[in-house]
Amino acid sequence: LQAMSGNEQDWLALRPQEPSPSQCCGSGCKPCIYDVYEKELAQWERAKAMQDKSLLMGKKEQSNNSELNPDTFTAFSVSSVEQLTEDTYQYKFELPGNSSLRLGLGQHIVLRGVVNGLEVQRAYTPISPGNAEGYFNVLIKCYEAGLMSQYIKTWKRGDVVFWRGPFGGFPYRPNKHGELLMLASGTGLAPMIPILQSITDDEEDETFVTLVGCFPTFDKIYLKPLLQDLARFWNIRIFYVLSQETSLEQLPWSYQENTYTGRLNEDLMKTIINSCRRKPFVLICGSSAFNEDMSRYLKAAGIEENSCFVF
């Protein structure tokens, strides 16, 4: 067996590393981390065939110019950490000057974390308005056993973390739909908020919105003050479905008339759809089990698949 030449070893050291499954956030990003790898591998093979290392110079894994980019990770610093419920936090990140992320509605960005030497990537949706200047906010639920959660829980003000994106989103246009029915479970609220805010900020937009937020208990509802403000608009209604509350008597009276106890099931779905002022276009965001259940109930209520969008 011929020993590998020094030149071969040099090239092997430069070969891009194939991502591990934990590095894919599973949200269907374009480009996915695997797409980025394929592109870099092709670039490496081309450079190696021509024995020209300068062809690899364009490869940059992360950048510090604070411009969000789908291909490379950009550093952003944490400017505040606010605990919203026992396991959910709102993190605020700084943007240089008065720049803005310029996100489309409901778009997500991908976070990179390293936990016990393992690189993990997860997708999160900023809840700040897309044109917010100088900052962006992300709502994150931390799970006891979650790898990424262990990393996120260590964050404090001034820490630098890496994001890439944006990806996905819902191509919303003002007045395109008569009514939007938003079905959100837990942090599935995140992509709904920028859409709601864009509707309430635009006086010309007369779209009706019915938001149904599903949470275990009343104290696990996130962002209550913001939701209360939004619900004051003439075209916005907000319902809560609390799976672990048994009675409404303990709730503040302002919540009692628009809150249901138990789970969001087929009957409740029909009731809500019947109360919509126009035939709704439905936005769904939650766990995959939640998304499947909702799609099934909607079908039973006569809402076709082309009238739904799942984040």
Side-chain angles (χ1 to χ4, degrees):
L1 195 72
Q2 197 184 351
M4 207 187 297
S5 72
N7 185 33
E8 284 281 314
Q9 281 175 321
D10 283 355
W11 278 104
L12 266 186
L14 290 169
R15 187 192 161 113
Q17 284 241 262
E18 182 168 359
S20 66
S22 72
Q23 288 176 265
C24 176
C25 70
S27 298
C29 308
K30 297 253 177 294
C32 168
I33 179 133
Y34 284 102
D35 299 334
V36 175
Y37 164 71
E38 295 294 337
K39 194 168 114 194
E40 288 176 354
L41 187 61
Q43 189 181 14
W44 176 81
E45 282 167 349
R46 210 165 42 241
K48 183 170 183 281
M50 297 173 73
Q51 290 290 310
D52 181 356
K53 290 186 180 138
S54 72
L55 294 174
L56 296 175
M57 295 325 276
K59 180 174 178 290
K60 53 183 206 307
E61 280 280 286
Q62 51 193 47
S63 85
N64 288 317
N65 65 359
S66 297
E67 272 284 300
L68 195 60
N69 178 324
D71 297 296
T72 53
F73 281 93
T74 302
F76 293 96
S77 79
V78 178
S79 57
S80 73
V81 177
E82 185 189 346
Q83 185 164 2
L84 300 180
T85 66
E86 59 176 355
D87 58 6
T88 305
Y89 300 79
Q90 177 172 289
Y91 295 94
K92 188 174 192 175
F93 296 90
E94 214 172 292
L95 289 172
N98 285 338
S99 64
S100 114
L101 275 190
R102 295 194 292 282
L103 289 190
L105 293 172
Q107 284 195 306
H108 66 265
I109 54 180
V110 172
L111 170 69
R112 178 175 72 189
V114 177
V115 188
N116 311 330
L118 185 66
E119 184 176 300
V120 194
Q121 298 189 18
R122 292 279 181 278
Y124 298 98
T125 306
I127 56 171
S128 37
N131 55 0
E133 295 183 348
Y135 77 96
F136 65 96
N137 290 334
V138 184
L139 177 69
I140 298 181
K141 177 173 181 169
C142 289
Y143 295 89
E144 211 40 61
L147 272 179
M148 188 61 103
S149 300
Q150 293 168 34
Y151 164 62
I152 290 169
K153 280 183 190 159
T154 65
W155 288 355
K156 46 195 189 313
R157 201 194 146 125
D159 283 353
V160 169
V161 305
F162 288 89
W163 294 97
R164 72 183 180 104
F167 303 105
F170 172 62
Y172 178 74
R173 291 208 308 279
N175 299 311
K176 181 183 175 186
H177 306 286
E179 179 148 2
L180 287 178
L181 171 58
M182 299 178 166
L183 306 174
S185 168
T187 47
L189 196 58
M192 309 301 182
I193 285 176
I195 298 172
L196 272 166
Q197 288 178 318
S198 82
I199 292 171
T200 57
D201 286 349
D202 179 357
E203 286 182 8
E204 307 289 300
D205 194 344
E206 301 191 343
T207 307
F208 284 116
V209 182
T210 298
L211 167 65
V212 183
C214 301
F215 298 92
T217 56
F218 180 73
D219 48 342
K220 292 210 165 104
I221 299 175
Y222 318 125
L223 308 168
K224 287 193 192 82
L226 172 62
L227 292 172
Q228 292 286 72
D229 282 346
L230 289 167
R232 291 196 180 96
F233 285 84
W234 64 275
N235 49 340
I236 311 287
R237 298 187 302 175
I238 301 183
F239 292 116
Y240 299 97
V241 180
L242 306 176
S243 57
Q244 292 166 23
E245 295 279 2
T246 47
S247 129
L248 297 174
E249 286 165 18
Q250 284 76 41
L251 304 192
W253 64 266
S254 63
Y255 281 87
Q256 290 183 14
E257 61 184 295
N258 57 349
T259 301
Y260 299 92
T261 58
R263 303 195 85 82
L264 175 47
N265 56 23
E266 200 177 301
D267 289 344
L268 181 51
M269 181 73 87
K270 284 181 176 157
T271 304
I272 289 169
I273 288 174
N274 289 337
S275 75
C276 287
R277 292 136 295 191
R278 299 177 181 146
K279 189 161 191 217
F281 185 92
V282 190
L283 302 180
I284 307 170
C285 189
S287 65
S288 48
F290 176 84
N291 296 350
E292 281 165 27
D293 287 346
M294 295 308 113
S295 301
R296 209 170 56 247
Y297 303 154
L298 287 164
K299 202 169 168 185
I303 302 281
E304 301 85 23
E305 239 166 83
N306 60 3
S307 299
C308 298
F309 180 90
V310 180
F311 282 99

